[in-house]
Amino acid sequence: MSEQTQAVDDVRHICGISGGKDSSALAVYLKDSVPQMEYFFCDTGAELPETYEFLARLEVILGKPIARLNAERGFDHWFEIFRGALPSPQMRWCTKNMKIKPLEKWIGDDPAISYVAIRADEANRKGYVSTKPNIESQFPFVEDDIDHAGVMRILDDAGIGLPAYYEWRTRSGCYFCFYQRKAEWIGLADRHPELFERAVAIEQKVLQDAGVSGDADFGDQAMKGRQYTWSGGETLVQLRARRDEILERNEAALSHSSRSLSNLPLIDALADAFDEEDDSAACTVCAL
Amino acid sequence: MTALSEFVRVSERFARSSNLERDTARVEPLEGYVVTARALDVVQRISSAAISGPAGGAWSLTGPYGSGKSSLALLLDAAFGPAGQTRDAALALLNSGSDAGLQVGDAHSHHRTEQRGFHRGMVTACREPLTLTVLRALQTAVCRSYGKIPPIRSFPAAKVLRQALEDAEASVLDPRRTGPSPAGLLEVAQCLAADGPLLLVFDEFGKNLEAVADRAATTSSDTDPYLLQQLAEAGQGHGLPIFILTLQHQSFDDYLSAVEIPKRREWAKVQGRFEDVAYVESPAQTRALIGSVFTVDDEKLLSRIQRWARPQSKAMQSLGVADLADPAVAASCWPLHPVAAVVLSELCRRYGQHERTLFSFLTGQEVAGKNGFLATTDLPNRGTPPVLGLDDVYDYFVGSGGLTAMTAASSSRWIEIATRLRDAHGLSDRQLRVAKTVAMLNLVSTSGTIRASEHVMELIEPGTGEILDELCESGIVTYRSFSDEYRIWQGTDVDIRSLVEEARLQVQRRGIFEVMSSMSDPQPVVAARHSAKHDCLRVFCQRFVSCNDKADPLDAFSPYDGQVLLVVDGDQPPPLANIPVGGAKPTVAAIPRVEDMVSVEAAARELVSLQRVLQDSVVESDWVARHEMSERLAVAQVAFEQAVFIAFSSGSCRWVLLEGDAEEDLRAGRGSSVLSDASDRAYPSTPSIPNEMINRTHLTSQGAKARRMLIEAMIEHGSEPLLGFEGNGPEVAMYKAALSHTRLHLREKASGQMAFKAPSGGEAAKKLLPAWTVLASEFDRAKRRRVNLNDIIASLQSPPIGMKAGVVPVMIVAGLLTHRDVIAIYEHGTFRPQLTSDMAERMVKNPAFFEIKHFANASGARKQVVNALAERLGIQDKEQTQGAAPNLLVGNVLSVVSDLVSRVRRLDNFTQRTRNLPPSVLTVREELLRAVEPDDLLFVSLPEAFNLPPVKTTDDSYSKAKYLATEVSNALETLEVTSNQLLSEASELLIASGGGTSRETVVERAASLDPEVLDSTIRPFVLALANDGTDDDLAWIATIATVVSQKSPAEWTDEDSGRFRRTLPQQMAAFERLLALYAESIAGREGKDIDCAREACDRQQHDECTATPTALSVTVTRPDGREHARFVNIQADLRDDLTEVLDEAMAKVELMVGSGEKAQQALLALIGERVLEGFKDE
């Protein structure tokens, strides 16, 4: 690989950072071998504080800035443009407008090599592999046989560790991500009550503290009268009221899975406890 | 036995159809003709007119297809023709049973035409101008009377006629020619009539009227109505004996329904000159005709038929069919069963071409033909003679598809019945016959007495009850109790009729406006002329209103440019409610004539009644009823729309422009000219934006995308030609129409770069100027207070500008860019230092969230402060270096505040949060971060931060201006270096903790440790210290700080900073201890000190050293998870002896535990335990 990348040419070398462990490890891993690497992060403006903090840490470690794509047109922007019509699995404007489009605009028509953080032990996972002809994808972890342990080692060595949200959540992404589990919503309510409140407001088509004049209410606008809920079948307020029940069931699921999978770090235990599919399957681009 | 045909004669009454040109003057077509009551009536009208005076008359005969109109024309031609065989035949027909023949004779004697007869022009019209048809009729009349066109001395109009024929030929060849002149034709007709009575018959006159409708679309003038009118008038009163007869299927008006109202009125006037004669036979008359078809001469059979007819006529009496109650009439219908006769006449009327169909059946193959009923049925010697029943009628009409012309409304039932019977298998002959009888009755049944009730079925064929039961059982036939009827078609138990009646009654009680308020409003209309003239579609919505209710004017955000109030209940326009802010869009009231409104009202009430029935739960749950109601509703809907169209057409109602309390009648012109007039008045200052994609109310998604690109380019590439666009995409077209064509975006002379400017020069710019002035005055208004963007949009969309919603955002952005040095933008109340493209996107979507405020260039003391700050902050320089492109401009409040706010917002989080700053700097930071009002910030808050008095507008000068500028600038500089300061301090702390050496020595010392042998708790720290990937001291320390605190210094809080200061020395101490241990181990192994180990060894030796380390890092984990790490080493000279001891011990233990591996583990565990004991105190 080093032969390919050391040659200085017009090809851009890009590495997407999702805010999760794998892509961060890849960035660190390639830091020296691909010095011309451009790191990018598609910013929704609604990431968890832990993610932003982690990115800042990573930037220091990488010794260069991570390009924040889409910084001007984050979730709040689109929420206003769509006048309160929220993204959902059926209408995933979030991914399209805040991830794919900004990325494709940023890359433009330049020939580029995109380094994708798929590990050797998850060769079946589908990452975001661009369909644009000018982008070639490479999978260094697969090529160099780096697995989960290897990734942890890279992060440990860099002294960067894991993003703090792994203590209560299995993936990066928006604080109100509609793919997060009910227990994770409870986690949000516990760790970031102000963000939880903001998500509650958004659910009611209100953007809190849009400016000095206060909230921006879209209740009378798009899809008037239709109650969207972030989490299936109940509003966040109802979900929070079931806090103990949700946590109890979460514990049960956890202990069930840890019987067969002992000594796993929490994040892996969580991931295995809840979904058989990889945690990136829900939102491949978000976990880019 | 003998076939019936031997006993029955069938009159060849009607040929299938007659043709005037072909059949005139021949006897044959008259053979077998039976003069119907209607025909007699017409003949009598003409002859009595001819007898009563010198003049003629005009009649228009309206009758359906196949009712015998053309045959009547032939009869007239013969009766009023010259003496001879043909006339005799005609008169004989007329004299049988009436005295009409005698009257015709009197007419001839009155006009002395006993020998030569009337001049007769009989033509069948084509789809052509009436002049051509009349010409042909006249030519025929002349030729038939004179043999050829006579010389001018015997026929003064001969030359005119020839000329007309030439003109006609020319006009056929070249449609631009006008054809024969109506005056000439009139002259010919008058000339003929002066010689003797003239009878003109126009068959298929509807074709002429259709031609009128065709032409209406292309030409404005039409001479046809005048010609016909003059011809008719010439024969009336004391005029000449001109008799005109037009034959058509529907009234004039029906043919002309697609023609504009004024033209229709002209024709209505013409029709007024004609006497209308409805040419339809009543069912009884039709049955009388049926009776005339069959003649039986055999006395014995006749008496058998009469015997048969008696009970039949009684039965018919019980059914209320009066004419057939006469046994003679019933007998005359034989071999048709009386019920078949009733059904047949109704069937032909409803589904066929009336008498033509009827007689095609009776006299054609099916009954009288070689293989027909009469020829194939034998007459038994005794008993009831055989009868043609309904099942035979069914076979002809339905089974063999004898009927094809069917109206949509009735065809569904027809098809349903036919399909049902066709698909019914396994029925016996008798069952099938009964089923067919039921089918025929169903087809004509209108819930009268003639329906498939048990009673009627029994009359037709005694003993059918049982068979009906069988049919019911097999599901072919259903008994409907509410109507006491057997049905083949599914039908419904819902009593639709009474539901409709009830609904009508209810609707009747309500006022017409109440009724119509539930209707959907008519389609919007375009003011065509105005729209074309201004490249701007003006659309008026229409709605029904009551003249008693106040009408709301349209607001600026309505998608329509005006409204038409269709007044439904009075002759006055409704009062107008208050005019909205920004001026009202035009409101026009349309007040129809009372008589037009009557038909609208009737149609509306019917429509609403049907709607109510359709919503009835009984109907909703019955699909047959629902289906029927839907069909009726569709018909009613069309009728209603038609009535509305007529009532509110341009020429037929009064148009009133409403302006506040004032009303003004508008002159009705063609089409939408009224609305164009209203638009001209309301929108005199419409700008010209010749691009349909943007100059509209709702943009397409492509249009919206192009506009987004345009606005983005305006903001980001305003200084470039074509805004940096390439190619010819829609955004370029929009640019050219909205910005280039209007000269809003021009090259600035001073800078030589493109820029946005007030429009000037050129026609389009002139037309845009009023809009620009409105925009400028709105910006001016913002000097006093913030102005919401929606207010500005409202004023641009309202009269007199009426700018389309699609263009407005582009204009506003152009305005904001032009005035960017004085206009501050607030989003959700928050001051935005500059207009960005993402903001513009939100602005387009939700303008109400944005406000603007105008900051005029400051003066006096404030100007002094602004200039001092601008100078100190280097804003002037920025202007010079960046040319005209930047988003910030010089020398005023906004540019200074924008610069300050932008700078402070770029600071990292630590700097934005830390409290460890001088109080004045903190205040400056806070004020800038929450800046709301630029002038408050600049002239009140910032001076306050430095204990200075506010800068008042009233003061001429401010002595502390320079001081203030310096302090603010210093504060900003302090803020901007704060994060670097933090890192520098961290660096100093690190160096100091490491014994006062330099960064280079720290890096070198850390690099000397082999990371592979380091414990994971210390390894990242050591790696960070050893990081030589950067030349930048601050980047180096930032990495270390991040590793130590697990947080980027840019994200630190003051607490993080403090924690770092406490942690770093501890980590450094650990690092030092590690270094010492490592140096010791190497020195012990090699007998050299650490410096020697690194510098005296050559590279290869060193690699060997590190490849086989003698020092080990051993980590022991306690059961509770605590870990202990130690470096352990062996003195090189003892290594061999110790290895020997170990091998011995291993051999012994191996004997005890079984394997070498187990032995190793056991020993290791034992040593581990000992080591742990040693760690107890840690």
Side-chain angles (χ1 to χ4, degrees), chain B residues 309-349:
Chain B
R310 247 173 264 138
Q312 298 295 339
S313 59
K314 264 198 195 137
M316 294 318 284
Q317 189 171 23
S318 73
L319 291 177
V321 186
D323 55 322
L324 289 172
D326 179 354
V329 177
S332 73
C333 285
W334 186 88
L336 236 56
H337 191 283
V339 177
V342 172
V343 169
L344 199 54
S345 54
E346 182 63 25
L347 194 68
C348 295
R349 187 184 70 75

Side-chain angles (χ1 to χ4, degrees), chain B residues 441-464:
Chain B
L441 289 168
N442 284 172
L443 276 177
V444 299
S445 157
T446 44
S447 66
T449 51
I450 303 294
R451 58 175 196 271
S453 66
E454 209 163 328
H455 176 56
V456 173
M457 292 300 291
E458 197 66 25
L459 281 180
I460 296 170
E461 192 176 334
T464 48

